[in-house]
Amino acid sequence: NLSTITITGNLVRGTYYSAVLVGSSNDTTIQNNVLTSPGQSGIYFYGLSRTAMVDNNTIHNATYSGIDLNGMRDAVIRNNTITNISINGIYGYSGTTNLLIESNFVANVSNYNGIEFAGVSNSTARNNTVVRVVDSSGILLTAGAENNTIVNNRLTAVRFGLDNENASRNQWTDNLVINTTDNAVFFTHSFNVTMRNNTLLNTFDQNSGGYGAGAVYMVNSSSNEFQDMRIIDVAGSVWELHAGHNNVWKNVTIQNGRKGFVVQNGTGNS
């Protein structure tokens, strides 16, 4: 493995593959670079790389992801500006663990998600801003992602806001979701997830004239807890639960919702 790599202060434009490609390395710093129009991702880690700092880079017009973390361990992704991305803004997957994703700005993602953790564990995404995700989620936890903390992020003009799919034992706290075109919170096959002090403002369904989207939509999800949430200006149902059990709602404040709570095929919910 390579070790102690520093890539700083460069302008990289129009590469055929990724602008910065790092494999099987330790102690990597990628800082203060401008990466424009890469043929794949802006920055791509692979091959069980460990211990990286990715700080204050500008990534624009990436064909794949802005920052791609494949099997990465112990990385800090901080203060990056990532715009006009085809797939994911920041994407961790394949056993990636112990990430800190903080204070990044992600805007204009055309196909997938602002931030995605697929099978990622023991990681934190905090103080990030995600704006304009056309087709999917501001932040998505999926594919067995567990024991992650998503805190104090601001998501604006995204399709789905906080998205927990096939993922368990995660915590979502103090997030703000504004102007979604579908559900502000979406859960499917999610268990033992905690959501506290999140604010959901203005959900509107662009495909059904403002009557289909709900603030929170849950399918086959059980033993989750929602506490101290504020839900304001909802086009559809405030909360829909389909086939879920033993979910708990505490101190939920609702203002201007078309419907209230809709529960189908569930027991032990309170």
Side-chain angles (χ1 to χ4, degrees), residues 104 106 113-115 125 127-133 136-140 150-163 172 174-180 183-185 195 198-202:
N104 299 284
V106 177
N113 307 288
I115 298 171
N127 303 329
N128 300 286
T129 299
V130 177
V131 181
R132 291 184 298 278
V133 176
S136 198
S137 304
I139 299 177
L140 169 65
I150 311 300
V151 59
N152 200 35
N153 300 283
R154 182 186 178 101
L155 314 179
T156 304
V158 298
R159 181 179 176 187
F160 299 98
L162 311 175
D163 192 347
W172 302 76
D174 296 322
N175 300 288
L176 174 62
V177 182
I178 305 173
N179 293 345
T180 59
N183 307 114
V185 173
M195 300 199 85
N198 298 286
T199 299
L200 316 177
L201 175 62
N202 194 17

Side-chain angles (χ1 to χ4, degrees), residues 8 10 41 51 99 102 163 165 171 180 203 208 245 259-260 267:
T8 184
N10 301 285
S41 297
T51 315
L99 300 178
E102 70 173 354
D163 192 347
E165 303 185 28
Q171 295 188 27
T180 59
T203 63
S208 63
H245 309 281
K259 297 180 183 178
T267 60

Side-chain angles (χ1 to χ4, degrees), residues 54-102:
V54 180
D55 178 54
N56 200 38
N57 300 283
T58 298
I59 301 170
H60 182 66
N61 278 348
T63 303
Y64 287 4
S65 298
I67 299 174
D68 199 326
L69 305 162
N70 181 354
M72 185 72 209
R73 298 175 61 90
D74 306 321
V76 176
I77 313 299
R78 176 183 291 157
N79 297 326
N80 300 285
T81 298
I82 302 169
T83 58
N84 292 11
I85 305 299
S86 293
I87 301 184
N88 292 294
I90 299 172
Y91 182 30
Y93 59 106
S94 295
T96 292
T97 188
N98 198 25
L99 300 178
L100 174 59
I101 311 293
E102 70 173 354

Side-chain angles (χ1 to χ4, degrees), residues 100-118:
L100 174 59
I101 311 293
E102 70 173 354
S103 302
N104 299 284
F105 178 80
V106 177
N108 301 332
V109 179
S110 57
N111 291 302
Y112 288 87
N113 307 288
I115 298 171
E116 179 176 343
F117 285 0

